[in-house]
């Protein structure tokens, strides 16, 4: 596999890199909360429900793109978040099982809705792996504004949000990011940096987790451009490598300082 140095064009790589860093801005603190609550697969379930909203809008010819599709995805994700928040209050002992079941049911419904579409497999693949390389300036501005609002609510309200508030903020963040980077990269962005810094205090853990994630996004995009690889999976592997090798090093440094 030969490297294509000419593909390292800043004008092509900078927009997806900025988009990825914006995703990390919300996903690192949310990922730490998900780990603390022990609901690891919540993001996959909510992301899959948001994808189901997109697929439903496509299948029923509600819209091919734009705000109607965004609204369909957001409505589906918020409904799913409210349902899972209610399940946590009612059946906290089986919450993880309910989350997993929700994921597989939403995924199966999506496949059934696309069964008659000749381009259904391609559409589903795009939603899973993402199209981060094709992100535009308008998308970056929109997601930056949304994330600013969500982060403001997160830091101002904090633990006072309660379970329902957490689930709803989570759903809105996931809805935005899943159409930007895909289901796989959403999960990786939430969980892998959070795993790498799980022993760190709240504020420094978020900062270091974001820095590790930012490094992985840059490395994954560069590898994707150099070797003509799909960007989403390349970034997922980079995030896994950073969590696997960077996490233990950081924990050792953290223990030595304390």
């Amino acid at each position: 596999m030969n490297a294509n140095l000419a593909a390292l064009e800043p004008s092509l790589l900078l927009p997806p890199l900025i988009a990825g860093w914006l995703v990390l801005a919300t996903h690192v603190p949310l990922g730490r909360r998900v780990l603390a609550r022990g609901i690891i697969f919540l993001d996959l379930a909510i992301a899959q429900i948001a994808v189901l909203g997109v697929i439903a809008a496509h299948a029923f010819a509600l819209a091919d793109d734009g705000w109607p599709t965004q609204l369909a995805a957001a409505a589906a994700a918020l409904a799913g978040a409210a349902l899972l928040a209610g399940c946590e209050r009612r059946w906290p002992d089986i919450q993880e099982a309910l989350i997993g079941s929700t994921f597989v049911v939403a995924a199966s419904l999506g496949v059934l809705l696309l069964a008659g579409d000749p381009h259904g497999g391609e559409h589903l693949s795009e939603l899973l792996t993402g199209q981060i390389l094709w992100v535009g300036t308008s998308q970056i501005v929109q997601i930056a504004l949304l994330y600013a609002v969500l982060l403001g609510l997160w830091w101002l309200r904090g633990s006072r949000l309660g379970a329902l508030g957490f689930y709803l903020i989570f759903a809105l963040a996931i809805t935005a990011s899943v159409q930007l980077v895909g289901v796989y990269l959403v999960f990786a962005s939430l969980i892998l940096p959070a795993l790498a810094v799980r022993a760190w205090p709240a504020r420094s853990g978020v900062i270091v987790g974001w820095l590790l994630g930012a490094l992985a996004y840059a490395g994954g995009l560069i590898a994707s451009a150099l070797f003509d690889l799909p960007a989403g999976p390349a970034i997922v592997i980079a995030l896994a490598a950073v969590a696997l090798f960077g996490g233990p090093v950081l924990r050792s440094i953290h223990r030595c300082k304390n």
Side-chain angles (χ1 to χ4, degrees):
M1 186 180 293
N2 296 321
N4 180 16
L5 295 177
L8 296 178
E9 175 59 48
S11 63
L12 296 177
L13 296 181
L14 190 57
L17 183 60
I18 293 173
W21 288 351
L22 285 173
V23 167
L24 289 169
T26 55
H27 286 36
V28 172
L30 286 173
R32 284 173 61 86
R33 179 66 65 88
V34 163
L35 285 180
R37 293 170 70 97
I39 45 177
I40 309 303
F41 296 106
L42 175 65
D43 54 320
L44 275 179
I46 297 296
Q48 192 61 57
I49 293 171
V51 164
L52 180 60
V54 175
I55 291 173
H58 174 78
F60 295 109
L62 299 177
D64 291 329
D65 201 2
W67 282 107
T69 301
Q70 295 286 344
L71 289 175
L78 288 171
L83 174 65
L84 290 173
C87 290
E88 184 175 304
R89 290 194 301 271
R90 181 67 178 83
W91 303 290
D93 54 322
I94 57 170
Q95 178 68 352
E96 191 72 353
L98 292 172
I99 289 172
S101 299
T102 301
F103 165 76
V104 74
V105 168
S108 298
L109 283 173
V111 171
L112 291 175
L113 286 174
L114 289 173
D117 187 340
H119 303 290
E122 180 182 346
H123 187 52
L124 184 59
S125 176
E126 289 177 359
L127 290 169
L128 292 176
T129 60
Q131 295 290 311
I132 190 172
L133 284 179
W134 309 116
V135 63
T137 303
S138 62
Q139 289 176 287
I140 292 175
V141 172
Q142 290 169 11
I143 202 170
L145 292 173
L146 174 62
Y147 284 168
V149 172
L150 295 179
L151 286 172
L153 288 172
W154 179 264
W155 294 117
L156 288 174
R157 299 295 297 174
S159 59
R160 291 172 294 178
L161 284 168
L164 180 59
F166 167 73
Y167 274 85
L168 294 181
I169 286 180
F170 191 90
L172 289 173
I174 294 299
T175 299
S177 59
V178 76
Q179 295 181 71
L180 196 68
V181 301
V183 173
Y184 297 155
L185 198 44
V186 164
F187 181 82
S189 300
L190 275 162
I191 299 303
L192 293 174
L195 280 174
V197 296
R198 65 187 182 276
W200 287 65
R203 181 169 297 182
S204 59
V206 169
I207 294 171
V208 174
W210 187 89
L211 291 172
L212 287 175
L215 177 65
Y217 264 84
L221 281 170
I222 290 171
S224 170
L226 283 175
F227 301 108
D228 194 25
L229 298 170
I235 298 170
V236 169
I237 299 303
L239 284 165
V242 165
L244 181 63
F245 299 109
V249 172
L250 288 174
R251 284 195 294 275
S252 299
I253 294 173
H254 183 63
R255 282 195 296 267
C256 290
K257 289 183 176 180
N258 293 326

